[in-house]
Amino acid sequence: MKTIHVTTTVNGDTVEYLCDPRETMLDVLRDRLNLTGAKEGCGTGDCGACSVTVDDRLVCSCLMLGVEAEGKTITTVEGIADGENLHPLQKKFIEYAALQCGICTPGILVAAKSLLEKNPDPTESEVRYWLAGNLCRCTGYDKIIRAVMDTAADMREAS
Ligand code: FES
Ligand code: FES
């Protein structure tokens, strides 16, 4: 099958790749760009493990085609730390032990960061609703929600 040439920005870097027109963005990230943070939990838009942002919109990369990334700006979990310095959400998830197997964690971190950029002072209900599309089969969610709320409080205090 004919492959398509795509130029896009991923985690601040301009990248180019060739992909099959039917290939998902998730497969492009994992198999062509070696960015394996985004996970495939379902492949049908139901679990959020593959979450990335595209031009600042939260997207399930399993529901997006790799060719649709042309000219876009994509951020994956690999792009949310500042070099060696983890993002406050990442530090707080470690502090709260808000993960077990870790399959859901990259998607939840990307989704939570997206929430805090839009709403730095979310209520618990708002956090729960925002993360409702990110399923976790291990933690029971409580530590995740508390980690996000506490990060938001810390970031407000620091700003
Ligand atoms: S793998 Fe994309 S939503 Fe589950
Ligand atoms: S930590 Fe295992 S699915 Fe969330």
Side-chain angles (χ1 to χ4, degrees):
M1 179 173 294
K2 189 169 175 285
T3 55
I4 309 282
H5 178 263
V6 175
T7 304
T8 187
T9 302
V10 180
N11 299 331
D13 296 325
T14 301
V15 298
E16 296 179 57
Y17 53 83
L18 294 170
C19 71
D20 185 303
R22 296 172 303 183
E23 200 170 337
T24 67
M25 192 66 220
L26 178 60
D27 285 343
V28 167
L29 289 170
R30 294 181 57 84
D31 300 339
R32 297 193 185 274
L33 303 181
N34 204 26
L35 293 169
T36 55
K39 302 288 187 277
E40 181 163 358
C42 63
T44 52
D46 295 304
C47 76
C50 63
S51 298
V52 299
T53 57
V54 180
D55 291 348
D56 290 332
R57 286 187 60 197
L58 189 60
V59 166
C60 290
S61 61
C62 71
L63 296 182
M64 174 181 170
L65 293 172
V67 294
E68 293 179 293
E70 176 69 37
K72 299 279 197 294
T73 298
I74 295 172
T75 302
T76 71
V77 72
E78 288 91 344
I80 72 174
D82 180 14
E84 295 291 301
N85 195 16
L86 293 178
H87 187 278
L89 278 163
Q90 292 174 304
K91 292 179 186 167
K92 200 63 79 175
F93 269 56
I94 293 169
E95 182 186 325
Y96 275 71
L99 63 152
Q100 289 183 31
C101 78
I103 293 291
C104 69
T105 312
I108 290 179
L109 288 168
V110 169
K113 178 171 178 283
S114 171
L115 167 65
L116 298 187
E117 283 167 359
K118 290 174 181 19
N119 178 4
D121 191 8
T123 63
E124 181 176 333
S125 291
E126 286 171 333
V127 175
R128 287 184 182 274
Y129 272 110
W130 187 269
L131 295 180
N134 291 85
L135 304 184
C136 176
R137 285 295 167 258
C138 304
T139 67
Y141 299 103
D142 198 52
K143 291 177 179 176
I144 293 170
I145 303 301
R146 284 193 289 125
V148 174
M149 296 290 293
D150 202 20
T151 304
D154 283 359
M155 289 177 75
R156 286 196 303 277
E157 208 173 290
S159 67

